[in-house]
Amino acid sequence: MELRKIFNRISVLRQERGISRKELAEKIGVNFQTVGYLEREEYNPSLDLAFRISEYFNLPINLIFSTKPLKPLSEELLNLKKDTK
Amino acid sequence: MELRKIFNRISVLRQERGISRKELAEKIGVNFQTVGYLEREEYNPSLDLAFRISEYFNLPINLIFSTKPLKPLSEELLNLKKDTK
DNA sequence: GCTATTTGTTGTAAATTTACAACAGACGGT
DNA sequence: ACCGTCTGTTGTAAATTTACAACAAATAGC
């Protein structure tokens, strides 16, 4: 089906929480190397795994994953502030 | 990884739009039997495919897919109205 | 009734995701 | 310098998703 690459913010979110890949892996129930593969965007998570990550970070899927390259969160925040002023 | 089953509203949304599985399949770029598998929830879509469906229906992933059984849309609507009054 | 379209289902092969093991490099604390 | 933890990477096997072909049943239009 020629899969598109999905971009994600997993490593940023994980580092914000100050946890290691191993800890995150345990929380979401996968091998720690799998977290590595996901952070390096070497392959896409399954929908179920995407939901587990979303549940762990308490953020909707669309905020963590995107079909388009993700800007740094800091920049997104800046744009939001611009819009509301 | 013992995958959880993900529930979805694909068949309702498709029927609301009045299109066939074949038409939907063409729009999202998969085989029409694949749409059948998804509607019967025999397997979960990949994250990319979930995004294509989300883009086609112009709805966020979380409104179409869920880890918990989905109530009819009519009921969801009723709950929303209750909350706001 | 006939025909076309849609849907449900099954089977097999290909592609993708995940687990797991192994190893190397970076980094911090002692 | 040593030790432990974290990270990056590669390889292989297992599980899951997808394509595709085939066929039956249901439905709608003529």
Side-chain angles (χ1 to χ4, degrees), chain A residues 24-41:
Chain A
L24 175 58
E26 280 157 15
K27 297 292 186 182
I28 62 182
V30 295
N31 192 278
F32 80 96
Q33 283 105 331
T34 298
V35 174
Y37 278 107
L38 296 177
E39 292 193 354
R40 277 174 266 126
E41 294 172 340

Side-chain angles (χ1 to χ4, degrees), chain A:
Chain A
M1 192 192 39
E2 345 110 46
L3 283 185
R4 290 177 299 181
K5 172 185 180 160
I6 307 286
F7 301 88
N8 72 68
R9 294 192 215 271
I10 298 174
S11 76
V12 186
L13 294 172
R14 178 176 62 77
Q15 290 175 59
E16 275 184 347
R17 261 70 168 185
I19 63 172
S20 71
R21 287 185 179 172
K22 199 154 111 183
E23 287 179 276
L24 175 58
E26 280 157 15
K27 297 292 186 182
I28 62 182
V30 295
N31 192 278
F32 80 96
Q33 283 105 331
T34 298
V35 174
Y37 278 107
L38 296 177
E39 292 193 354
R40 277 174 266 126
E41 294 172 340
E42 290 188 23
Y43 53 59
N44 301 333
S46 63
L47 186 55
D48 180 29
L49 184 47
F51 264 108
R52 294 191 209 186
I53 294 167
S54 155
E55 286 159 8
Y56 174 74
F57 288 121
N58 204 30
L59 292 172
I61 301 257
N62 298 274
L63 237 153
I64 307 179
F65 300 96
S66 169
T67 57
K68 284 169 300 223
L70 286 160
K71 298 189 195 103
L73 276 173
S74 49
E75 203 173 320
E76 300 270 2
L77 201 56
L78 192 63
N79 288 339
L80 277 181
K81 289 198 174 155
K82 267 195 242 159
D83 288 348
T84 50
K85 82 156 169 245

Side-chain angles (χ1 to χ4, degrees), chain B residues 1-2 7-8 10 14 28 40 48 66 69 75 83-84:
Chain B
M1 192 191 43
E2 345 108 53
F7 301 88
N8 72 68
I10 298 173
R14 177 175 62 78
I28 61 181
R40 279 174 266 128
D48 180 29
S66 168
E75 201 173 322
D83 290 347
T84 50

Side-chain angles (χ1 to χ4, degrees), chain B residues 29-65:
Chain B
V30 295
N31 192 279
F32 80 96
Q33 284 104 331
T34 298
V35 174
Y37 279 107
L38 296 178
E39 291 194 356
R40 279 174 266 128
E41 295 173 340
E42 290 188 25
Y43 54 60
N44 301 333
S46 62
L47 186 55
D48 180 29
L49 184 48
F51 265 107
R52 295 192 209 186
I53 294 167
S54 156
E55 286 159 7
Y56 174 74
F57 287 121
N58 203 32
L59 291 171
I61 301 258
N62 299 274
L63 239 154
I64 307 178
F65 301 96

